[in-house]
Amino acid sequence: MALSTGDRIGAYEIVSLLGKGGMGEVYRARDSKLNRDVAIKVLPPFLAGDADYLARFRREAQTLALLNHPNIAAIYGLEGNAIVMELVEGSTLRGPLPLPEALAAARQIAEALEAAHEKGIIHRDLKPGNVIVTPAGVFKVLDFGLAKAIERPSQTGPDSPTLTMRATEAGLILGTASYMPPEQAAGKPVDRRADIWSFVVVLRELLTGKRLFDGETVSHTLAHVLTAEIDVSEIPAGPIWELIRRCLDRNLKSRLQHIGEARIAIENFGKSPVAQPVAVKASYWPWAVAAVCLLAAGGGWYRAANATGAMPGSIQFLLESPAGTQFPPGVFPYYSTPGTALSPDGRYMVFNAESEGVARLCLRPLDTLQSRPLQGTEGAGFPFWSPDCKSVAFFSGGKIRRSDIAGGAPQVLCDAPLPHGGASSRDGVILIGSDEGLFRLPAAGGIPQQITQMDTARKESVHGIPQFLPGGKRFLYLIQSADPNVQGIYAGSLDNPKERLRILAAEAKAVYSPGFDSGLGFLLWLRDQTLLASPFDAAKLSLEGDATPLAEGLELGRNSLTAAFWTSDTGLLVYRTGGGRETYKLNWLSRDGKLLGEAVKENKYASIRLSPDGNRVAMDLYTDRAGGISGRWSSAAKG
C-alpha cells in the first residue's frame, strides 16, 4: 500500500515519495527523535506478507548495518517491513565523463565494494542508479546487499525456479539486467566477482556514455550478457583498458579476483598513466611518441623517452606518412609541428603530409599503422580537436574550418586571417589566438568576439595557443612580448575577460595535463629545449611545486608557438625531438659549386625564386617582431 505525506512509520513521518522499483518504494521521511531527514525503503506487499522473506530480510539488514564507510549509504534501523537508511542528496552517475573524473568516481566505488566484501557482503545490483554523487563530490553506493535480502535461497536441480520466473515474481531484473554478470544472468550462485563485473560495466559506461549490453526486452538483454561480444574498442589503450578486459571475463577463474586489485590499478594509473605500446614501423620522419608516467607522489614525473632510447614507463614509435605523400620539408616556415594535434582521448593524431607540393592534414589512429588524408584540409595549420574527438578544426585560407574525421567536406566557421592556435570547450565555445588578441566563437560558427586586448605599451605581439582548463570557463594562453617581464603563460576567464594572471615566464606554449585523483594537475612547458612539468592547481591558478624535467632537445620552430609537444586528457604525452632554432645561409654559387658571395644576411626566409637571367633572387623574408615573427617580400641581386 502506498504511503502519503504525513503517514508515520514508527518515529518517522513520511515527507514525499523519492522513487519506486522492483525492490519496493523509497520515501523521504523525518526522524522526529533525532530531527533529521532519512530515506525509508518499504518492501512490496507480496514480499512483506511472506514470513520467510521477511525473516531473511531482517537477518540481512542486521549484517548490512555493520557497514560503516564514507562511500556507503548507512543503514539506521528497521521498522516492520521497512528499512531506514541515510538520505543521500545529489545526482546519479551519468557518462560520458573525462577519464580523470570517471576514474575518481570508480576509485570511490571500488573502495565501497572493498569495504563490503571484507565483511562478506555482496552488492548484487550495482548500477549507475545505485550510486549518488553528492554536491561535495563524494560518491555514495546505495542498496548494498538488498537484492540478496529479498532473494529466495538458491535451489538446484530440475525443479529449481528459472531466473526469469524469479525476475517476474520479485521485479528484480527489469532495468538492471544490463549490469548483471553472466553467472547471475544464468541463475547461478554469485560471489564477490559478480560485483567486479558490474563495477567495470559501470566504469565503461562512465567513459563512453553507452551501455555495454542492451536489448529490446529483458530477455534480449540477458542473452547479450551471456553471449554477445564484449566491446572495449572505445576505451583508450593502456592499463585501464587492460583492467576492463580482465574484469569482463566470462570465465570466473580468469576474471579479476578482488576489487582491491582494481582500486590499486586505478590509483597507480593516477600516478603513472602509461599508454599501451603500439606496433613499430620504420619511417623516415624522426618522431618519438612517448607515454609519460605522471607521479602524484613527490610531485614529479618520470623522465620521458627521447629519440635515443626509451626509459622505464615510456614507449616509442614512429609515424609514417600515407602512401604517395611526404612530410613537409623542415625549413621555416614549413615546420610540420603547427599542423599536428593529439586528440583529448589519446586515440588519434593529425599531422601535415605533402603531396605534389600541397600539404594537408592526415589522421592516424594510434592503435593502427595506417594514416589517411582528411578531405578539404589543404594548407591547414594549428589544428585543434572537438571535445568529443569526432572532428578537427583548423586554419586555412584565412578561415577557420572544421572537418569530421568520419569524412565529408569541411565546414567554414568564420574568418581568421592571422591565426595563432585555437581550443574548443565542452560548453560549445571556441577560443582563437591572433596577433590582435583572443577571440571567442560559438562551436557552430559565427562572428568572433574579442575577449583580450593587445597591450602595445607592454610590447605584446601575440595572444596565442589557448587551452581550456577544467570547467570550461578559465583558460591558459601565451602572450608573446619583446619585454621578458611580460612574455609568458597567462590565465584568463570567459566570465571576466579583463582577468589576466601571469602563471610563469615562458617563451613557448604551455599545456595543462589533468590530475587523476587529488585534482592537482601539471603544467608542461619549455625552458630552452627542455620539457618541464610543474604541479598546477587549476582551481587556484597556482603552481604548487618545483618543475621536473621530462625530455630534452625538443623541436622548437622559430615561431615559439610551434613547440613540438602535445598531451591528451588520458595522460599521453607526444613530443618531437631535434630541430631547434636552426640557422640558414643563402649564398650565390656558380654552376660548378664555387661560392660567389652571400645573397642575404637574414637567415629566416622561404619561397625562394631565381630570376630568369640568374642575377636576382626573390623570397619571403621573416624577422622577429616583438617576440613573434613577421614577413615581407624581398629580393637580392648577385654581387
Side-chain angles (χ1 to χ4, degrees):
M1 179 177 179
L3 299 174
S4 302
T5 301
D7 290 348
R8 299 188 69 86
I9 298 180
Y12 305 96
E13 180 180 344
I14 300 299
V15 176
S16 62
L17 177 68
L18 294 177
K20 60 177 63 178
M23 288 190 288
E25 297 176 340
V26 183
Y27 296 87
R28 176 191 288 266
R30 188 69 177 172
D31 185 342
S32 58
K33 292 183 178 179
L34 298 179
N35 196 29
R36 64 179 176 181
D37 283 351
V38 298
I40 292 183
K41 174 164 283 192
V42 181
L43 288 180
F46 71 90
L47 291 181
D50 188 313
D52 289 338
Y53 266 128
L54 198 56
R56 180 179 177 81
F57 173 74
R58 287 171 178 166
R59 289 195 301 270
E60 292 296 336
Q62 290 170 357
T63 302
L64 299 176
L66 299 176
L67 293 176
N68 182 17
H69 191 274
N71 298 116
I72 298 176
I75 291 180
Y76 295 150
L78 290 171
E79 291 287 345
N81 66 331
I83 186 167
V84 183
M85 302 177 293
E86 174 187 2
L87 177 65
V88 182
E89 305 277 11
S91 58
T92 56
L93 287 181
R94 183 173 299 175
L97 296 175
L99 182 62
E101 296 179 25
L103 293 185
R107 179 182 56 78
Q108 295 188 45
I109 296 170
E111 289 178 352
L113 292 173
E114 188 174 8
H117 291 177
E118 288 175 353
K119 294 185 179 296
I121 298 171
I122 306 166
H123 194 291
R124 295 169 176 251
D125 192 26
L126 185 64
K127 57 186 178 181
N130 273 338
V131 181
I132 301 292
V133 55
T134 71
V138 177
F139 293 85
K140 292 266 191 176
V141 182
L142 314 180
D143 286 356
F144 256 102
L146 292 188
K148 181 181 181 183
I150 64 174
E151 180 186 53
R152 288 189 187 277
S154 298
Q155 299 179 27
T156 58
D159 297 326
S160 62
T162 66
L163 178 66
T164 51
M165 287 174 59
R166 294 216 307 269
T168 303
E169 180 182 4
L172 295 180
I173 304 300
L174 188 60
T176 64
S178 297
Y179 308 96
M180 277 193 171
E183 62 271 21
Q184 189 174 358
K188 298 178 181 179
V190 300
D191 57 22
R192 65 189 184 189
R193 290 171 293 186
D195 283 351
I196 292 174
W197 172 285
S198 301
F199 165 76
V200 164
V201 172
V202 171
L203 173 57
R204 179 195 172 279
E205 187 170 321
L206 289 182
L207 290 170
T208 65
K210 305 172 185 175
R211 283 190 176 185
L212 176 57
F213 302 110
D214 215 347
E216 295 180 8
T217 66
V218 173
S219 297
H220 286 105
T221 301
L222 293 175
H224 292 165
V225 170
L226 291 168
T227 61
E229 180 182 355
I230 298 173
D231 182 10
V232 294
S233 61
E234 294 189 45
I235 308 302
I240 300 304
W241 180 92
E242 178 62 24
L243 172 66
I244 291 176
R245 186 199 63 79
R246 278 284 313 277
C247 294
L248 292 180
D249 198 317
R250 291 189 172 97
N251 184 341
L252 279 171
K253 292 184 178 180
S254 300
R255 191 181 304 168
L256 198 71
Q257 299 296 298
H258 198 291
I259 192 64
E261 298 177 42
R263 173 187 55 79
I264 292 171
I266 290 171
E267 290 176 348
N268 286 342
F269 182 80
K271 300 172 184 176
S272 307
V274 182
Q276 196 76 359
V278 298
V280 175
K281 189 171 183 179
S283 169
Y284 295 103
W285 199 32
W287 274 91
V289 182
V292 178
C293 300
L294 185 153
L295 294 178
W301 293 53
Y302 286 125
R303 193 178 299 276
N306 57 35
T308 61
M311 302 187 68
S314 65
I315 60 173
Q316 290 190 50
F317 62 91
L318 300 175
L319 289 178
E320 188 175 58
S321 65
T325 69
Q326 63 182 7
F327 295 106
V331 177
F332 182 85
Y334 299 113
Y335 286 99
S336 53
T337 49
T340 307
L342 177 66
S343 64
D345 61 9
R347 299 179 62 201
Y348 305 99
M349 282 187 67
V350 289
F351 55 88
N352 266 325
E354 185 180 279
S355 175
E356 298 179 351
V358 178
R360 56 178 55 84
L361 289 181
C362 294
L363 176 72
R364 161 72 185 274
L366 294 187
D367 58 354
T368 70
L369 296 177
Q370 289 77 38
S371 304
R372 62 176 175 84
L374 290 178
Q375 178 185 347
T377 60
E378 290 78 10
F382 292 109
F384 57 96
W385 286 85
S386 62
D388 62 8
C389 304
K390 294 181 179 180
S391 63
V392 177
F394 56 92
F395 301 87
S396 175
K399 300 182 183 296
I400 297 181
R401 309 170 194 265
R402 181 172 57 220
S403 179
D404 291 338
I405 64 173
Q411 172 191 355
V412 175
L413 300 182
C414 71
D415 292 332
L418 296 170
H420 288 290
S424 183
S425 79
R426 295 182 179 275
D427 296 329
V429 177
I430 290 177
L431 280 181
I432 307 167
S434 77
D435 61 359
E436 296 179 358
L438 290 180
F439 292 78
R440 64 179 292 172
L441 175 76
I447 299 176
Q449 175 187 354
Q450 189 163 4
I451 61 171
T452 69
Q453 302 289 333
M454 203 68 62
D455 190 341
T456 56
R458 288 160 41 97
K459 301 180 181 179
E460 296 178 6
S461 60
V462 170
H463 291 183
I465 312 298
Q467 180 189 8
F468 282 102
L469 293 172
K473 298 299 182 183
R474 286 176 164 173
F475 51 85
L476 300 175
Y477 64 105
L478 171 67
I479 292 183
Q480 287 188 327
S481 170
D483 184 347
N485 295 317
V486 173
Q487 172 115 353
I489 304 302
Y490 286 74
S493 170
L494 293 179
D495 294 335
N496 182 11
K498 293 184 179 180
E499 179 180 308
R500 179 186 291 193
L501 176 64
R502 191 182 192 218
I503 304 298
L504 58 83
E507 65 172 356
K509 70 175 186 181
V511 176
Y512 174 76
S513 180
F516 288 83
D517 190 13
S518 65
L520 189 67
F522 290 83
L523 202 61
L524 278 64
W525 56 287
L526 286 180
R527 179 186 293 146
D528 296 324
Q529 288 182 254
T530 299
L531 181 61
L532 303 171
S534 298
F536 181 70
D537 190 322
K540 298 178 181 178
L541 299 177
S542 63
L543 298 173
E544 299 294 327
D546 295 333
T548 302
L550 300 183
E552 296 180 353
L554 262 71
E555 180 188 86
L556 181 64
R558 300 180 192 283
N559 184 343
S560 58
L561 295 168
T562 66
F565 66 96
W566 307 266
T567 64
S568 74
D569 291 343
T570 62
L572 189 70
L573 168 65
V574 179
Y575 64 88
R576 180 180 178 178
T577 57
R581 297 184 183 275
E582 298 94 337
T583 59
Y584 300 92
K585 289 184 177 181
L586 187 61
N587 293 326
W588 289 106
L589 300 176
S590 64
R591 292 185 181 275
D592 59 3
K594 182 179 179 181
L595 177 63
L596 300 178
E598 190 177 59
V600 293
K601 294 183 178 180
E602 292 88 346
N603 57 34
K604 305 169 186 178
Y605 47 81
S607 302
I608 302 167
R609 296 291 185 271
L610 191 65
S611 64
D613 62 7
N615 292 320
R616 298 186 67 84
V617 62
M619 73 214 79
D620 284 323
L621 192 61
Y622 291 82
T623 56
D624 290 314
R625 177 173 60 83
I629 297 291
S630 64
R632 68 180 188 272
W633 185 253
S634 185
S635 64
K638 185 186 297 184

